[in-house]
Amino acid sequence: MARPTTKIELIETAAVKFDKLWEVIDSIPQEIMEIPFDFSNDPKKKEAHWTRDKNLRDVLVHLFEWHELLLNWINSNSEGEEMPFLPHPYNWKTYGELNQEFWCRHQETKLESAKEMLKLSHNAVMELIEEFTDKQLFTKKYFDWTGTTTLGSYCVSATSSHYDWAIKKLRAHKKNVMIEMHA
């Protein structure tokens, strides 16, 4: 799927990718999901998230927290309370530390809670996107608080692009475990 450039495409792509995420989750046997993620044998997987996230819960709460960032940012700025997308003291150079904070915050969160939190936050994001027009979502600098990026771009990043990331990660885990089981 091409990156969305209209509200309809944004909503459709986010919904399709979210459904695909749950299809992937449902397709992975429970015994494989219970094995901690370990990508240390793959030199191509160098980004921090490959070592940070150890299970499905970690992936789901990561998605949830990015939904929350988007929701809080849009709602605050729409109500006239100016705030950056990333909370202080984080910026786009240090957002990895924020992701680590999210990970730490949810180590006691149960998997079932993480699933419910993500479903609710996804629905909230989708409802919020519905409130905006194509012009508001995809015109650069339409809102001064989006800087040089469109609001729609932030929405794509927090939904369909992030769902793709999660799908790839879960498939990689399944593949890893299957290789180990047959070795």
Side-chain angles (χ1 to χ4, degrees):
M1 286 184 158
R3 190 167 174 89
T5 57
T6 67
K7 177 178 167 176
I8 290 171
E9 290 173 358
L10 171 59
I11 291 168
E12 182 179 307
T13 304
V16 166
K17 297 289 184 174
F18 194 71
D19 289 346
K20 183 69 176 170
L21 172 63
W22 291 105
E23 286 174 22
V24 170
I25 291 167
D26 293 341
S27 76
I28 300 175
Q30 187 64 33
E31 60 271 14
I32 290 176
M33 276 303 190
E34 290 175 1
I35 297 170
F37 294 1
D38 181 6
F39 303 102
S40 60
N41 290 334
D42 189 339
K44 294 178 193 163
K45 294 179 170 49
K46 295 177 183 170
E47 296 95 344
H49 72 89
W50 292 108
T51 55
R52 180 193 65 226
D53 302 322
K54 302 292 186 197
N55 52 48
L56 176 60
R57 185 235 16 241
D58 291 347
V59 172
L60 299 182
V61 297
H62 177 86
L63 296 173
F64 162 77
E65 288 290 352
W66 279 81
H67 284 165
E68 290 297 298
L69 286 175
L70 182 70
L71 291 165
N72 291 333
W73 177 67
I74 292 173
N75 288 327
S76 294
N77 282 289
S78 293
E79 293 168 8
E81 181 188 331
E82 195 174 311
M83 71 180 280
F85 185 84
L86 298 173
H88 181 78
Y90 303 104
N91 58 49
W92 292 110
K93 290 181 181 171
T94 63
Y95 76 91
E97 295 168 24
L98 177 61
N99 286 334
Q100 187 63 36
E101 181 183 315
F102 293 154
W103 182 88
C104 290
R105 183 183 301 169
H106 288 284
Q107 289 308 291
E108 300 300 318
T109 301
K110 300 290 182 220
L111 177 58
E112 288 309 311
S113 295
K115 287 179 177 180
E116 188 62 26
M117 291 161 54
L118 179 58
K119 288 176 182 176
L120 290 172
S121 65
H122 168 80
N123 290 339
V125 167
M126 299 301 278
E127 288 174 15
L128 188 56
I129 290 169
E130 284 284 357
E131 295 177 16
F132 293 95
T133 65
D134 272 347
K135 189 174 183 179
Q136 291 171 317
L137 287 166
F138 292 101
T139 302
K140 286 186 177 192
K141 299 182 181 182
Y142 186 89
F143 299 106
D144 58 356
W145 43 271
T146 63
T148 59
T149 307
T150 66
L151 178 58
S153 182
Y154 281 93
C155 294
V156 169
S157 294
T159 60
S160 56
S161 292
H162 239 135
Y163 303 155
D164 274 337
W165 164 84
I167 290 165
K168 287 175 187 160
K169 186 164 204 151
L170 295 174
R171 285 181 174 157
H173 171 64
K174 181 179 179 182
K175 182 179 177 184
N176 257 4
V177 173
M178 297 304 280
I179 289 170
E180 288 177 23
M181 292 172 83
H182 293 98

